[in-house]
Every structure is written in C-alpha cells, then in structure tokens.
Amino acid sequence: MTAHTATPPMIELRAAGLTYPGPPPVAALTPCDLKIEDGEYVTVMGPSGSGKSTFLNIIGLLDTPTTGRYLLDGFDTAALSDAERTGVRSATIGFVFQAFHLLPHRSARENVELAMLYQRVPRRRRSQRAQEAMTRVGLGHRLDALPTQLSGGERQRVAIARALVGRPSLLLCDEPTGNLDSDTAKSLLDLLSDLHRDGMTTVVITHDVQVAARGQRAVTIRDGVMSEPGRRGDDA
Amino acid sequence: MKLTAHRPAPQPRADSVQRSSIYARDLFVEALAGVLQRPGRSALTALGTVLGVGAFIAVLGLTSTTASQIDARFNELTATQVTVKDSGGSDAAKVPLAFPRNADARIERLNGVTAAGVYWRVRLSADRTVRSTPFRPSDEPPLRTDVIAASPGLLNSAGPRMAEGRLFDSYHDANRQQVAVLGSAVAARLGITTLDTQPAVFIGNTPFTVIGVLDDVIRKPDLLLSVVVPRTTAEHIWGPPSDERAEMLIATRLGAARQVADEAAAALRPEHPDYFKSIPPPDPKTLRSDVGGDLNQLFLLLALVCLLIGAVGIANTTLVAVMERTAEIGLRRALGARGFHITVQFLAESTALGLLGGLMGTSLGTISVVGVSAAQQWTPVLDTGAILAAPALGLATGLLAGLYPAWKASRVPPAEALRR
Ligand SMILES: Nc1ncnc2c1ncn2[C@@H]1O[C@H](COP(=O)(O)OP(=O)(O)OP(=O)(O)O)[C@@H](O)[C@H]1O
Ligand SMILES: [Mg+2]
C-alpha cells in the first residue's frame, strides 16, 4: 500500500486535532497526520481514554476537528454544511458503535432498516435488504427479536448488519469484538475480512492484539498522540 | 448478492453531495412507533389533554342540553300562557273589580285562545275558615285553606285532570250556586273520600256542595291546595276582591300568546284598556342567553386550564423523552437524519399524543353528556362543530407543547449524544 496514487486518499488528516473546550480543556487528539487509502483495512489500538473514539468521530463526520483539516476523498470537509455532512454519513459511512446503540423497543429487523430510512429506500426493498444483512451476520432467524431478547454478541452483530445494510464505502467499527467470545469474534473478523476483500475501506478500533493482526495497518493512539509503529517517515 | 458497495460511491463534492432525506410516511411511522412503544406512558402523558378536551365537550354539551330542556318546558307551558292583571289604572280605588261579567267570553273570542278565566283569592277573616262541619269541634285544629273565586273558564285554562266529579260551569256561576271544586289534597284533609254522598264544605257558616275534586292541573298548581267557588257566588257572599286584585289566566295555542297579550286589554274593556296589564310569556331568545351565562364561562375557563395543564404535561414528557432518547437522536443523526428530521419526528410524536388525547377526551366528554342526559331523561344536544373542533384542539395542544422539546432535540450534537 502506497500513498502515491493518482486518486486522493479516502481519508486524509492534515494536522487535525481535537480539544474538548472543557473546562478544563481536554486535548483528546493532538494534531496528527494520517492517510488511509481506498480499500485499506486499518486497526486502531490504544488504552482506554486515549482518544480512539474521538478519532473515529472525526473521520466519521460526527465531530469536527478543532485544528487542522480533514479531507474525505480529497475534499475538505470543513466546507460542508451540517446537512451535507449528514448526507455523506448516510450515503458513505457505516458505523458500529462501542455501545451498539440499538433502539430498545424496536425489533432487530427494524433496527437494521433504520440505516436505510434516511436513504429513502422504499419499504419493501428495506425489509428485503435488512433480512439479507441479518442473514449475512448469521442472525437470519432472529429478525423479529427485540434487542433485550438478544445476547450481547447477537446485539453486536445486529449493529454490524445495520452498518452494512446502508452499503457504505467506509466502515468504522468501535470495539466490534468487545463483547464476543473467541469463536464468535473469529467469525465476525472473518466477515470484516470478507468485506475488506470486497473493497470496503475498514477502520477497526480494538484492544485486542489478535484483532489488530487482521488489519493491513495498525495505528496506535496514546494520550491523544497518534503513531504508526510499522511506518515511519513515509508521510507525503 | 453482495452487501458491499464499491466505489465510486457518492462523492463528497459540494455540488454533488446528496442531502439525506426520508419519506414523509416513514417519518410518521417512526413518530407513531415512538408513541406506541410505551403505551402506558403515552396514555399518562395524554391524560391532561384527555381531561381538558373532555371537560370542554362536557361543558358545551351539558349547557346546550340543559338550555334545550328549558326551551322544551318553555314551549309546553310558558309559551302558551298569558296573565292579565287587574290594575284598575287611575281608578283603582273606585273599581275593585275591573273584569266584566262576560270577561271569559270576551277573551275566548280572540284568535288562538283555548280557555280563559278570572280569579282572585277571597279574603277570609279568622272565624271564616274552611271546615267540613258548620261548627268546629274544639279538638280540630283550625285549617287555613285558600278560597279562590273563579270564573268557570279558569279551571279550564288551568288544564285540570279530575279525580272525581266535574267542574262548575256558567250555569252555576250565573245562578250563584253554592258549589265548590276542591284540590285532592284539600279533599283528603277535609275527609271527603267520595262525592256520592254529596258532601259539603263550610266556609265560615256558608255550606258549599262539593261537585268535583281535582287530581292535577298543568298551570296554577296552587289550585290543588284551594277551594274554588264560582266568581258570582263569591262576589254575592263576600263582595268584590279586597286585598288582592283579580287576575286572568289565558291559555293559548302555541305562538299566539304574544298577540293575545297585546289584544286582551282592549277586548276586556274597550273603553278602559288602561285598567289591565298583560304579562306575555318571556322571549325564548332572552331566556336562552340568560342560561348560557356566567357559570358556562366559568366551566369553559376550567376546561381551558385543564388543556393548559395537558399542554404542560405533554411538553414536560416530551422534553424528558428527548433527554432520555439522546442516544437515539445521536444514532439517527449518525445514520443520516438531519436536525429537521429529528424536529419533525418529535413534533409529530407530541402532536399525535395531543390528537390521541383529544380523541379520547371527545369520546369521554360525549359519553358523559349522553350519560347525564339519560339519567335526567333529557335529550342530549351536542354541537357538531364542537365535536369536530375538540380533537383539533388536542392536536393543537400537542403541537404547541412539542415545539420547544423538538427544537431542542434537533440541536443535540451527534458525537456528544452517542457518548451517552
Ligand atoms: N465531551 C467531552 N468533554 C471533555 N472531555 C471528553 C469529552 N469526551 C471525551 N472526553 C475525553 O477525551 C478523552 C478521549 O476519549 P475517547 O472516548 O476518545 O477515548 P477512547 O480511546 O475511545 O476510550 P475507550 O477505549 O475507553 O473507549 C478521554 O480522556 C475523555 O475523558
Ligand atoms: Mg471509545
């Protein structure tokens, strides 16, 4: 993987950092540079509270860096209005959140369909695609279960189905295996590898070294400072 | 099929960025799900609106129902009754009885009159009480019973129902017959159980043969507690009315009363219409507006207060729901909901709650109006406009109550919301 291609990188941070205004101000992410090419599989590791989720929020357009620039597909996201950022999120980014964030009173199928609601997918197509996504994560038989009736691992997989079903080109996962036993975790990681093989740009946050080993690149964040042990000095 | 999307996916170029959007139908399904996913809580939230709208309907319905009851009673009796008072005009001292002898006939000739009669209360001194025997036994307590002198037409215009016997007529009156018609209560008190024995009552020491007992009258119910004797007889024995002047009671057909009232004085004494004062029935229009007065407005104010409480209730619960569902808002924002979508969703939820409360309140209000009417044997009267407006009132309450919370919901920054 080399950064010198004709097309701009999918994700490019230029001295982007985020300081929560506080008080007291918290430098959750010190200004850093990072490029992620189209189709790459990047893992992010680091201790708790180091700024991993903050980093994910920035590249997922949920938060804006307080310093520096974030270019998505070569385009400066600072120029986007809130409605446009929302449109980009809906169309190109799939999220798997650390806390799942499933709606407690809605069935698994409805939770998955939620990702297509704001894409104006017609109702019948939604239902069909939700079923396919649920089958893909191995939950084709639990379509009508409520999140409270599902195990932690199953909930995690519903969240992944929801992230996939919107057909994103960028998949952002925050601790996707945090609640899974090793077997389930393995099948989930296989699924992510599959998706990556199909061309999906994937960023996975994890504590687990074995999970990190699945990616092509491993980025580390420590106290808000990002580093990439295997790659030095090749920044453009 | 593969679920993955391959580039080129929608590119984040300012001119090509697709704003996310949602079908209006889906947005309302989401809002409805928000209401229905916690039915108990939704019901409690809507309770204030239910009460407010219910009270609104009940107040309107009950007042219009009672007003129409008054109208009905008015039509039956009051509207067909005219009273003519003998004032005597400027000659009051000289003319103790202004009604001519043939007063009944003069009035009954008028168009629309069904019956008419003159009457006055006979003044009785303490020794002239009504008794069943000429000499009062010492142990019998003195009975105070009114004696009413009446022309034959009076009993007809009162609308009598006889328990027994008959009324006196112009023959009795013209010949000063000493006959009497008693109210049933008086008859019982005097120990008169049958007319077969031709019983008599004594007024003072004058005997009167009882020829009829009244069971009931429609007008002038005090007749039931009186002894009624022919006018000419009374005048012959006790003279003309002394402390109370005479009056005339005229029964008319529906709609004729005002006309009759206008014409009566001239018909009685063309040369001295000023001797009489006609009292026509009250105008139904003024009667109705009297009924829809202060009490009505007080209740409507109460209903309004209920609605206000309902609105505060909905606003409060929606605000709590917004805070409770911050994570959901963050999630929806991450999945592509614009702030506007969030606003509309929460506004639709509170509006749906208001509408639901309005519908339930309308039903409850209607049921209570019908229930009260059934218990009182009234005909329930409910304005269609009010029934149609009431749910809209609930809807407006929900809409207003939801404005602030919905606006607040749209302002939740997604990243912060998702940290919850
Ligand atoms: N809204 C905020 N205001 C102030 N500080 C914040 C805010 N949100 C997060 N932080 C701080 O920023 C730092 C980075 O938080 P972040 O959630 O990115 O950590 P993380 O690496 O994802 O941790 P974990 O592995 O536990 O999820 C933490 O020290 C946190 O306390
Ligand atoms: Mg985190």
Side-chain angles (χ1 to χ4, degrees), chain B residues 179-361:
Chain B
V179 292
V181 172
L182 310 185
S184 51
V186 176
R189 208 157 62 186
L190 293 172
I192 295 167
T193 50
T194 173
L195 298 183
D196 295 344
T197 56
Q198 302 205 316
V201 292
F202 292 83
I203 302 170
N205 285 331
T206 317
F208 286 81
T209 310
V210 178
I211 59 168
V213 174
L214 294 171
D215 182 38
D216 198 8
V217 289
I218 300 172
R219 299 186 180 83
K220 208 165 159 41
D222 55 327
L223 288 177
L224 296 174
L225 299 170
S226 312
V227 175
V228 188
V229 299
R231 157 188 179 173
T232 325
T233 315
E235 218 177 331
H236 176 67
I237 299 173
W238 300 295
S242 47
D243 46 340
E244 271 178 45
R245 294 187 71 93
E247 286 183 13
M248 184 173 221
L249 178 68
I250 307 173
T252 73
R253 279 199 291 277
L254 204 61
R258 299 199 137 252
Q259 174 92 18
V260 169
D262 287 344
E263 296 172 353
L268 283 165
R269 299 269 301 247
E271 83 287 11
H272 269 308
D274 55 308
Y275 283 1
F276 305 101
K277 190 173 176 301
S278 287
I279 301 168
D283 191 343
K285 283 198 197 90
T286 54
L287 193 75
R288 199 180 321 212
S289 59
D290 280 353
V291 170
D294 302 343
L295 203 63
N296 205 348
Q297 279 170 6
L298 183 75
F299 278 125
L300 278 184
L301 199 72
L302 270 178
L304 224 65
V305 170
C306 279
L307 264 187
L308 200 70
I309 295 171
V312 172
I314 290 186
N316 186 47
T317 319
T318 311
L319 205 58
V320 170
V322 167
M323 292 195 267
E324 229 175 46
R325 286 159 68 186
T326 303
E328 173 184 337
I329 295 170
L331 172 73
R332 286 180 186 272
R333 299 280 276 126
L335 294 180
R338 302 207 312 258
F340 171 71
H341 299 146
I342 302 291
T343 305
V344 173
Q345 185 186 337
F346 277 89
L347 207 54
E349 280 187 27
S350 70
T351 307
L353 273 179
L355 179 64
L356 221 68
L359 288 172
M360 276 161 63

Side-chain angles (χ1 to χ4, degrees), chain A residues 20 26 28 47-55 98 175 207, chain B residues 416 419:
Chain A
Y20 289 109
V26 178
S48 180
S50 55
K52 304 183 296 294
S53 296
T54 304
F55 163 70
Q98 197 167 6
E175 305 259 9
H207 277 119
Chain B
E416 200 169 296
R419 214 170 280 127

Side-chain angles (χ1 to χ4, degrees), chain A residues 8 10 20 38 57 62-63 72-75 80-84 86-92 95 97 101 103 105-106 114-115 117-123 126 129 132-133 136 162 164-165 167-169 195 198-201, chain B residues 1-7 9-15 17-27 29-30 33-34 37-38 327-328 330-339 341-342 345 413-420:
Chain A
M10 175 112 196
Y20 289 109
D38 189 11
N57 283 344
L62 290 170
D63 226 338
L72 182 60
D73 261 340
F75 192 83
L80 296 175
S81 72
D82 183 63
E84 285 166 338
T86 306
V88 174
R89 277 202 298 272
S90 172
T92 52
F95 294 95
F97 297 105
H101 287 306
L103 301 186
H105 299 282
R106 309 294 285 276
L114 206 62
L117 212 57
Y118 301 96
Q119 295 180 339
R120 261 183 184 268
V121 177
R123 201 155 50 95
R126 279 209 305 264
R129 275 168 62 178
E132 285 161 2
R136 181 139 197 206
R162 184 181 61 197
L164 298 181
V165 82
R167 297 179 176 168
S169 43
L195 292 168
D198 291 341
M200 176 109 66
T201 313
Chain B
M1 60 155 273
K2 292 278 186 196
L3 280 166
T4 47
H6 298 276
R7 305 274 298 279
Q11 306 279 306
R13 301 266 181 268
D15 50 348
V17 167
Q18 280 282 311
R19 286 174 155 232
S20 57
S21 61
I22 180 171
Y23 289 114
R25 188 178 172 281
D26 288 333
L27 195 51
V29 168
E30 290 298 302
Q37 72 193 10
R38 304 186 64 173
E328 173 184 337
L331 172 73
R332 286 180 186 272
R333 299 280 276 126
L335 294 180
R338 302 207 312 258
H341 299 146
I342 302 291
Q345 185 186 337
E416 200 169 296
L418 284 164
R419 214 170 280 127
R420 304 276 177 97

Side-chain angles (χ1 to χ4, degrees), chain B residues 130-146:
Chain B
V130 177
R131 296 193 304 273
S132 51
T133 54
F135 305 105
R136 177 160 57 87
S138 58
D139 59 333
E140 191 183 335
L143 290 166
R144 296 291 313 175
T145 304
D146 280 342

